[in-house]
Amino acid sequence: MRLIRLNTRIVRHGLALLCAALSLSGCGLASRQGSVDAGTRYQAKGEYRAAYIEAKKGLQRDNKNGEAWLLLGQASLMLGNPADTLSELQNAKANKVPAERWAVPMGRALLVTQQYDKLLATLPSDQPYQSKIKARVAALRGDAYRALRQFDQARQTYLAALSADPENLGALVGLAQLAATANDPASAGKYLQQALAAAPENPQAWVAKGDLAFGSADFAGAEADYQKVMGLKNPDWLPQERFYALTRLASAQAQQKQFDKALASIQTLEKMSPQQPYPHYLHAMVLYRQGDLDAAIAELQQVLKMSPDNVQAQLLMGAVNYAQGNYGQAEMYLSNAMGMDQKNVDVRKLLALTLYREGRSRQALDTLRPVAPGALSDTELLAMLERAATTGAGSPGAAAAASSASNPPDTRLASAGNALASGNEAEAIRLLQEIPAGNASTEARRNSLLVMTYLREQRPAEAVKVAAAYASGNPRNSAAHLMYGTALVAAGQRPEARAQYSEALKLDPENLAALLSLGSLDSIEGHHEAAAGRYATVLKKDPHNAAAMTALGQLAALQGDKAEAARRFKQAIDEAPKSINAYIALVALDSESGKFDEALGTATQLAAANPDNPVALNALGAAELNAGHHGEALKPLQQAVNLAPQMPLYRTNLARAQILGKDTKAAEGNLEAVIKADPGQATAVALRAFLKLQDHNLPGAIALAQTLQKQAPTRATGFSLEGDLYMANKSYREAAQAYQQGLKLRYDRPLVFKSFQALSESGANAPEGVLRDWLAKHPDDAATRLLLASYYLNRTQNALAAGQYEQVLKTYPSNVSALNNLAWIYTEQNNPKALALAERAYQLASGSPDIADTYAWALIAHNQPKRALPILLQAAKATPKTPAIQYHLAVAQARTGDPAGALGTLTTLQKSGADFQDKPAAEKLYRELTGLAAK
């Protein structure tokens, strides 16, 4: 269509062009330059499409016109076509355009296409450019070094750019970005101020300023900066840069929970690039944070359709499924993500937690260990996973109990409060029950402490009984109904609890604790907007309410908004510097995010603000442990135990630190003290049992597990622990029996998996029966189906394995393991579907030598050894001691006309003495090649 339009213009102006040409002695000089000059004027006004058309017109007349090629390349770049730019600028260079003219657009095109090494080679630093061009080229080289993470070279190059031109904006922005990467926001800000002073409407500087604010969690400031750049007219930036700025704007809006604004920005992105997956990913992220998980999945499916190997989308899909409790599906996506990015810490942590939820502790430990802090034992890592898997597992109200008893009107109330604060719940209950009826104030406090103690003892029925009686005797007392509601929540009676909280608020509309409790109930039930509304009401009534700020932070954390959660927790701490709950929440948030040093800093601040509070000291000790400082953890944990000797959590944590410090005798003493006080403390029992096992005292370890089996709440846990101990001792038959006992009490996937593993190791007949039984009741459980397929595959029951993999791929077509293994089976069966499956797996995880080997072997089976050879060379280099890959490489070499290379590969393989499935075939090929060589 464009060619027709250009021809029409040529005809229309043919006479004028002809006259102009004939009036000059040089053939066609005026027509050669006319379109280029017009295009240059269009380009100066930011009318890049018109400039592009004029350049095309000039080239139609003379395709050797270097100036037209230069103009075309520049226009293509600004229209968002950097690949075309590179070709067009090469033509400009070939047609005698000086390097000084094409160097900068060439550099920008190479930068945006991520060809950093080529940029450095194409634009050397020693060219005699004019000073401003020299500075711009140096800044581009600095950008390339920064993208390659060669930060020292980047800094030196940026400084060289400033030496040539002290106001070079690219260098100033680059230095700001380097400073931000080095966590030096002050220096970054100074560089950006300097850049904006020199060019107040420079888009790159405004975007970098927004990025700096975003990185400091100043999302409102970031939004303002991004909005500023969106309003600039004809800015000298590329469509890709505008796209990036708009994605950041959407992210800043989402971080502020301005979801409508964020979605509007995302819609603009989708219109800009309909086939670009990132806007759909952003859309999914916003939906995820809004709690609309099904809609988030729909968006992520679009992302994965366009970009199947998108690690972040796979991770988010895993997170969404984890949030829905679909652990099998979560495992699928997270395994894919880890297959593509082995070093991704977030993927590893969530996958480990998912595996742990499924009862596959060994796989969870293997997944987590590469990113775990310090040299933690299996027991310590399991403890980390248990804390992450358990929400609300702390001891709420301990600090409140201690403070409420600080100035009691009655010494017996004070004694009961002190007993409760020290963790001696039994003594607290005894004292409270002995207190005779008193005045209204005493009764209120006695009943409140008694309910709290029962809840700490995990005796919600008694707590409800006491609270109900007190509320019945005080029907007009708002606080009585509030306490009753809290007991009902602990007992799992949420509708009844909501009624009590509502009654408390009705009796006293200013009862902020009732509002907070209703908000907490809303949050538990997933009504996040309602919860946020109640917390906002509290802050409207009391702008300094630290509890509401903390609650909003916890709500943000639930919705995945870690930055907002951290902001709220810090706000609460600033408002109430001794607010233990806010500190604890921030420590937990940073620890879950792997920010162990930051968590330790917060815990240190908490302990400094509350030096005699055992909760604060335990938090500091736990943070030291998570940061890998078991020696430093001992002192605060010992102090916490001294202040609250009956608190099992503090002693258990102290024992963990002592185990890591090789002081097992002290650890045993603390664990035995915990178990003696409460034989149902499962974590302490497990730690003590494994210590006994390390001392080769299996009977003693089993006896501890059996103590859990004698208590109704921990019976199934006791059998699971007994099985774990037998497994660690390689007593597989006994482990299987223990797990089977546990399954009779609690039929869940974790115990099913453990039972299967024990039966398999014990040599039992048809151990897979336990998996088949589970799948009969849970046919959509893909994780179990994959485990069953793996079992069949390991026993060369390939047809049965193929059936299971086919079932998995119907639901999860991008599962790398299923694709690879099914392709291998199909190759063995000469099934023509093998190659397509193997290629799909290779596209998703080309960095895996095993997956590459499967693909290459399928290529060889389909008579394509030339395509297979480079893939196998790379795989063999990555894993030189894998005999099957070496054999496959030899086959490829032989079939591509390199018998000498094949013989060399097989000779090395023969010398290794390795035994593998294809060894007879390898020996046969070796003999054949040796015979050829002899001839």
Side-chain angles (χ1 to χ4, degrees):
M1 199 67 177
R2 182 181 298 147
L3 288 176
I4 294 172
R5 188 160 54 243
L6 287 174
N7 287 338
T8 302
R9 291 177 65 106
I10 291 169
V11 170
R12 190 183 311 140
H13 299 290
L15 181 60
L17 291 171
L18 179 61
C19 293
L22 291 175
S23 68
L24 297 168
S25 58
C27 178
L29 181 61
S31 62
R32 178 184 174 97
Q33 280 300 117
S35 293
V36 174
D37 291 342
T40 303
R41 290 193 295 272
Y42 282 129
Q43 182 172 263
K45 295 186 290 185
E47 298 178 21
Y48 303 118
R49 177 62 61 188
Y52 181 92
I53 292 171
E54 293 299 326
K56 278 285 191 180
K57 288 164 61 177
L59 289 169
Q60 282 183 331
R61 298 190 193 100
D62 179 6
N63 66 1
K64 301 291 185 182
N65 188 333
E67 293 296 326
W69 281 116
L70 176 63
L71 176 62
L72 187 65
Q74 292 170 325
S76 291
L77 181 64
M78 301 310 294
L79 290 171
N81 302 314
D84 291 347
T85 295
L86 293 173
S87 172
E88 290 152 0
L89 292 179
Q90 285 293 346
N91 283 327
K93 177 182 177 182
N95 285 283
K96 312 302 183 188
V97 174
E100 197 166 70
R101 304 278 308 284
W102 52 257
V104 171
M106 178 79 82
R108 294 182 76 181
L110 289 168
L111 199 63
V112 81
T113 54
Q114 301 180 12
Q115 299 183 61
Y116 309 123
D117 289 319
K118 188 173 182 181
L119 185 154
L120 294 170
T122 304
L123 305 179
S125 58
D126 57 355
Q127 294 299 302
Y129 300 128
Q130 179 263 344
S131 60
K132 287 193 177 295
I133 298 297
K134 188 177 184 68
R136 293 190 68 184
V137 168
L140 288 168
R141 287 175 57 82
D143 290 341
Y145 280 127
R146 182 165 54 83
L148 292 168
R149 303 191 67 78
Q150 298 176 20
F151 298 133
D152 288 341
Q153 295 96 319
R155 180 175 178 78
Q156 292 168 10
T157 309
Y158 287 139
L159 292 174
L162 290 178
S163 176
D165 177 8
E167 293 188 347
N168 182 271
L169 300 174
L172 290 169
V173 171
L175 285 168
Q177 291 167 323
L178 275 181
T181 301
N183 198 25
D184 184 3
S187 296
K190 289 178 182 177
Y191 284 123
L192 291 174
Q193 285 178 355
Q194 190 176 345
L196 289 169
E201 295 197 350
N202 179 263
Q204 288 84 5
W206 279 108
V207 172
K209 186 170 181 288
D211 287 348
L212 185 63
F214 195 104
S216 302
D218 177 12
F219 303 117
E223 180 188 15
D225 292 334
Y226 298 137
Q227 289 283 20
K228 168 73 176 178
V229 78
M230 290 298 168
L232 298 178
K233 292 184 178 180
N234 300 326
D236 179 29
W237 64 341
L238 309 182
Q240 291 86 349
E241 293 173 317
R242 183 175 188 274
F243 186 88
Y244 169 79
L246 195 52
T247 65
R248 299 293 282 172
L249 174 61
S251 297
Q253 290 163 336
Q255 289 287 354
Q256 298 173 81
K257 297 186 180 179
Q258 298 175 1
F259 296 128
D260 289 342
K261 283 185 177 181
L263 289 173
S265 298
I266 290 167
Q267 287 173 357
T268 303
L269 286 167
E270 290 171 341
K271 290 177 182 177
M272 285 176 65
S273 295
Q275 301 305 314
Q276 166 62 250
Y278 190 66
H280 292 286
Y281 171 78
L282 274 179
H283 198 163
M285 182 62 77
V286 170
L287 292 167
Y288 172 63
R289 291 178 56 192
Q290 288 179 307
D292 193 350
L293 301 182
D294 289 337
I297 285 177
E299 288 294 328
L300 287 169
Q301 286 171 340
Q302 292 190 60
V303 176
L304 293 173
K305 184 177 180 180
M306 292 183 278
S307 178
D309 56 350
N310 188 310
V311 175
Q312 291 303 314
Q314 296 275 5
L315 170 57
L316 183 55
M317 185 70 97
V320 173
N321 277 283
Y322 182 89
Q324 291 179 320
N326 300 328
Y327 302 126
Q329 291 90 328
E331 182 190 349
M332 300 298 107
Y333 290 106
L334 295 169
S335 295
N336 282 343
M338 197 173 80
M340 297 176 228
D341 186 359
Q342 292 282 335
K343 296 181 180 180
N344 191 307
V345 176
D346 291 334
V347 171
R348 280 189 173 275
K349 287 181 178 178
L350 188 53
L351 178 57
L353 189 55
T354 302
L355 292 168
Y356 182 70
R357 288 277 195 182
E358 294 178 313
R360 296 159 67 187
S361 299
R362 172 50 52 193
Q363 293 96 320
L365 291 173
D366 292 342
T367 301
L368 183 61
R369 187 174 299 285
V371 294
L376 298 184
S377 67
D378 285 358
T379 305
E380 290 303 301
L381 288 174
L382 283 174
M384 287 174 60
L385 287 168
E386 176 59 29
R387 286 198 307 277
T390 305
T391 57
S395 51
S403 62
S404 69
S406 59
N407 290 297
D410 186 288
T411 56
R412 282 168 294 188
L413 274 173
S415 298
N418 288 334
L420 180 60
S422 68
N424 192 346
E425 288 87 356
E427 177 65 9
I429 290 171
R430 184 188 70 79
L431 290 168
L432 291 166
Q433 288 176 334
E434 289 179 356
I435 296 174
N439 59 31
S441 174
T442 299
E443 278 300 286
R445 294 172 62 189
R446 185 181 77 85
N447 280 279
S448 177
L449 281 173
L450 192 53
V451 167
M452 185 183 301
T453 307
Y454 278 132
L455 293 181
R456 283 269 296 275
E457 279 271 273
Q458 297 184 7
R459 295 161 63 181
E462 288 95 329
V464 168
K465 184 178 180 180
V466 172
Y470 183 66
S472 177
N474 298 271
R476 306 298 300 169
N477 186 323
S478 178
H481 291 284
L482 178 64
M483 180 174 65
Y484 188 15
T486 301
L488 288 164
V489 168
Q493 301 176 42
R494 292 177 189 166
E496 295 85 352
R498 185 176 292 278
Q500 291 300 317
Y501 288 150
S502 298
E503 183 65 17
L505 192 60
K506 180 180 177 182
L507 290 169
D508 180 8
E510 299 303 312
N511 188 332
L512 300 186
L515 261 177
L516 287 168
S517 297
L518 281 167
S520 177
L521 196 55
D522 288 332
S523 179
I524 290 171
E525 294 177 347
H527 307 310
H528 295 154
E529 287 188 15
R534 295 190 196 275
Y535 299 146
T537 302
V538 172
L539 286 175
K540 187 175 181 180
K541 292 175 179 288
D542 176 11
H544 305 289
N545 193 296
M549 297 170 188
T550 303
L552 281 168
Q554 291 167 331
L555 186 62
L558 277 175
Q559 295 174 293
D561 190 347
K562 293 182 179 180
E564 173 65 9
R567 186 182 76 82
R568 286 294 188 179
F569 295 147
K570 290 173 183 177
Q571 182 186 25
I573 290 168
D574 290 341
E575 196 61 51
K578 294 194 175 185
S579 174
I580 288 182
N581 289 340
Y583 278 109
I584 296 293
L586 184 56
V587 169
L589 181 72
D590 285 336
S591 297
E592 290 165 6
S593 302
K595 301 177 180 177
F596 298 113
D597 289 339
E598 286 154 352
L600 178 57
T602 302
T604 302
Q605 185 183 352
L606 166 62
N610 301 272
D612 299 319
N613 190 302
V615 176
L617 292 165
N618 176 70
L620 176 57
E624 293 279 17
L625 279 175
N626 287 338
H629 310 150
H630 58 266
E632 291 83 349
L634 288 168
K635 181 178 178 181
L637 289 172
Q638 186 66 65
Q639 289 176 312
V641 169
N642 293 342
L643 290 166
Q646 304 300 321
M647 280 296 291
L649 175 64
Y650 305 162
R651 278 197 185 276
T652 304
N653 279 341
L654 177 58
R656 291 171 58 220
Q658 290 165 336
I659 290 169
L660 289 170
K662 311 301 182 185
D663 189 357
T664 54
K665 185 175 181 179
E668 289 168 358
N670 279 306
L671 292 171
E672 286 172 357
V674 171
I675 297 166
K676 182 178 180 181
D678 180 4
Q681 287 289 327
T683 302
V685 171
L687 285 170
R688 185 67 187 98
F690 275 100
L691 284 176
K692 283 185 178 291
L693 188 63
Q694 286 179 11
D695 290 337
H696 308 290
N697 183 3
L698 178 62
I702 298 299
L704 279 170
Q706 290 170 346
T707 63
L708 295 177
Q709 297 167 15
K710 295 174 183 177
Q711 305 167 70
T714 58
R715 284 194 71 195
T717 302
F719 282 109
S720 180
L721 175 58
E722 182 179 350
D724 294 344
L725 292 166
Y726 278 129
M727 287 293 288
N729 195 57
K730 299 185 178 179
S731 304
Y732 302 121
R733 186 174 303 170
E734 292 82 356
Q737 292 171 354
Y739 290 140
Q740 287 296 322
Q741 288 293 106
L743 280 171
K744 292 175 184 178
L745 298 168
R746 189 179 70 212
Y747 190 59
D748 61 14
R749 185 199 289 158
L751 272 172
V752 167
F753 279 19
K754 288 182 177 183
S755 178
F756 164 72
Q757 290 164 349
L759 288 167
S760 298
E761 295 290 347
S762 71
N765 289 327
E768 77 279 11
V770 68
L771 299 180
R772 290 201 305 266
D773 291 344
W774 175 266
L775 285 170
K777 298 175 182 178
H778 307 85
D780 295 330
D781 186 347
T784 304
R785 202 170 291 285
L786 276 176
L787 183 59
L788 180 58
S790 178
Y791 170 81
Y792 286 140
L793 190 61
N794 290 337
R795 284 152 184 79
T796 65
Q797 295 174 280
N798 291 354
L800 292 174
Q804 298 300 321
Y805 288 129
E806 287 163 355
Q807 284 291 104
V808 171
L809 290 173
K810 286 179 182 178
T811 310
Y812 304 102
S814 295
N815 183 272
V816 173
S817 296
L819 286 166
N820 181 74
N821 293 349
L822 186 56
W824 184 86
I825 293 170
Y826 280 171
T827 301
E828 293 292 301
Q829 297 173 341
N830 295 317
N831 188 322
K833 297 179 182 177
L835 184 56
L837 288 172
E839 185 173 17
R840 177 81 172 120
Y842 183 69
Q843 288 171 346
L844 289 169
S846 59
S848 167
D850 290 335
I851 289 168
D853 178 49
T854 301
Y855 177 43
W857 194 235
L859 286 168
I860 290 171
H862 284 74
N863 296 316
Q864 299 181 49
K866 288 185 177 180
R867 289 182 62 193
L869 181 60
I871 298 171
L872 284 166
L873 284 168
Q874 186 173 359
K877 184 179 180 181
T879 55
K881 294 184 179 181
T882 303
I885 294 178
Q886 299 297 325
Y887 165 60
H888 293 163
L889 173 60
V891 172
Q893 289 169 323
R895 294 192 186 181
T896 54
D898 183 14
L903 186 58
T905 300
L906 288 171
T907 300
T908 302
L909 182 56
Q910 291 265 33
K911 289 179 180 178
S912 73
D915 191 18
F916 59 105
Q917 183 179 350
D918 290 323
K919 187 172 183 179
E923 290 173 342
K924 180 182 178 183
L925 179 60
Y926 179 78
R927 288 193 298 271
E928 292 173 354
L929 293 172
T930 305
L932 286 174
K935 292 178 182 180

